[in-house]
Amino acid sequence: MSLLRHLLVSITCILTASSAWSAVQIEDTITYLPTTQPDNTACAWEPGIAKAAIAHSEGTLVPLSGTPTAGDTRLSIQVIGFDIERSSRESQYTVRVRANVTQGGKLLATQDFDEEESFKDSQTACSALTQIGTSLGESAGEWISQTRLPTCDEACTGLHPDETIVVGAEVLIGDADAINDTVRNDCHFQTALVTRLVKAFNEGDTPPRAKLEARSIDIEKYSGRRLILRVNNVHALGGGGLSGPKWMNMSGELRDGNMLVGSFHSHTRSGRGLTTCRSVDSLSESTVEMITEWLSNPSLDAKL
């Protein structure tokens, strides 16, 4: 009897979980920014984006069907960049698309993808565009299959990805003994790391959609788009490798209004640094690299 009850409970849990889960519906029409138009409308390469996205989404995406409702979660794709560079023997298309996930008109996630493909004069341009569409769709499908969408309740206004990300001028202290007086006072770690992060993010190879800006405010009380950084532990002694390993543990949250967009925990190790401050600087440099990469495509509960 106990075995039968266990099976019934298991089946009930499975059914409950299945009914609560709903796939993301992908719109089959690919739109263009008003300033971005294809040079070859006869190719009809765009449908391949959605087809490839569904195939590589591991069941997360399904075709749009029926009349959309307010509770539907939908993925739309828009071409935001379309360029061709011609030469005497070979030409190259470069296409950038933006994938937006919305629910009830509220933006839950967004990501840009770009692809390029060359073709010789003896080839048709359509073959290059078709290959680009397939590659872009594969990237979008893999992204949505690995993305944990944030929850947006009635009071939530959704994501504002073009709004400046504000970060406090100093890293917050997670625990009272997270850093010692030397790290706090002599190394200026809390402000130095923020300065380095702002520069690295804003001046990266791919310009960010929105800039990161440091402000001398209580970042936890700021209501706009914000990045909250905390240092949880720094172990750094001078002497290089002779004083043993050095490490730094940090955590962070990216919030948009009252919605948690992304979060991370980072752990950095290093043996460099003949002085305590040089060790901290080395740890900060590695940590900033990881945070910058995460902030370009933030996810929840990321382990850096």
Side-chain angles (χ1 to χ4, degrees), residues 85-281:
E85 184 176 334
R86 301 184 185 277
S87 65
S88 58
R89 295 184 178 181
E90 189 175 77
S91 300
Q92 178 176 284
Y93 276 115
T94 302
V95 181
R96 169 167 284 198
V97 300
R98 178 162 296 160
N100 290 328
V101 180
T102 58
Q103 186 177 58
K106 299 175 181 178
L107 184 63
L108 301 184
T110 181
Q111 183 70 18
D112 293 352
F113 305 94
D114 54 67
E115 191 66 49
E116 60 184 33
E117 187 73 24
S118 300
F119 61 98
K120 298 180 179 179
D121 290 344
S122 58
Q123 298 174 304
T124 64
C126 288
S127 63
L129 282 174
T130 299
Q131 180 59 44
I132 285 176
T134 300
S135 297
L136 289 171
E138 291 174 355
S139 298
E142 292 172 0
W143 167 70
I144 195 64
S145 70
Q146 299 169 9
T147 299
R148 178 182 158 195
L149 298 175
T151 302
C152 192
D153 57 25
E154 293 181 0
C156 171
T157 58
L159 271 178
H160 299 82
D162 300 308
E163 180 182 323
T164 298
I165 305 171
V166 176
V167 62
E170 291 188 353
V171 175
L172 301 179
I173 305 297
D175 299 313
D177 58 349
I179 60 177
N180 58 38
D181 290 341
T182 300
V183 174
R184 184 195 301 269
N185 301 323
D186 298 344
C187 304
H188 308 290
F189 155 75
Q190 292 172 261
T191 55
L193 185 141
V194 172
T195 300
R196 175 176 271 161
L197 175 62
V198 170
K199 179 179 176 62
F201 182 75
N202 292 341
E203 300 178 6
D205 294 336
T206 302
R209 201 164 154 182
K211 295 288 188 178
L212 184 64
E213 179 183 314
R215 297 182 189 174
S216 299
I217 60 174
D218 186 342
I219 193 64
E220 292 183 292
K221 293 182 179 179
Y222 182 69
S223 60
R225 197 164 183 235
R226 60 204 181 276
L227 175 63
I228 303 171
L229 298 175
R230 291 184 177 84
V231 57
N232 302 312
N233 182 252
V234 174
H235 178 82
L237 298 174
L242 296 177
S243 58
K246 290 82 176 163
W247 64 82
M248 178 185 296
N249 296 328
M250 287 190 60
S251 59
E253 294 178 345
L254 177 62
R255 291 185 173 272
D256 204 333
N258 62 355
M259 182 167 67
L260 178 62
V261 178
S263 59
F264 75 85
H265 289 273
S266 67
H267 177 72
T268 310
R269 293 179 65 89
S270 173
R272 293 187 295 167
L274 295 178
T275 66
T276 296
C277 289
R278 183 64 190 95
S279 296
V280 172
D281 186 68

Side-chain angles (χ1 to χ4, degrees), residues 54-75:
I54 293 173
H56 285 76
S57 69
E58 299 182 2
T60 304
L61 290 175
V62 296
L64 184 66
S65 61
T67 303
T69 64
D72 287 344
T73 304
R74 302 170 67 179
L75 171 65

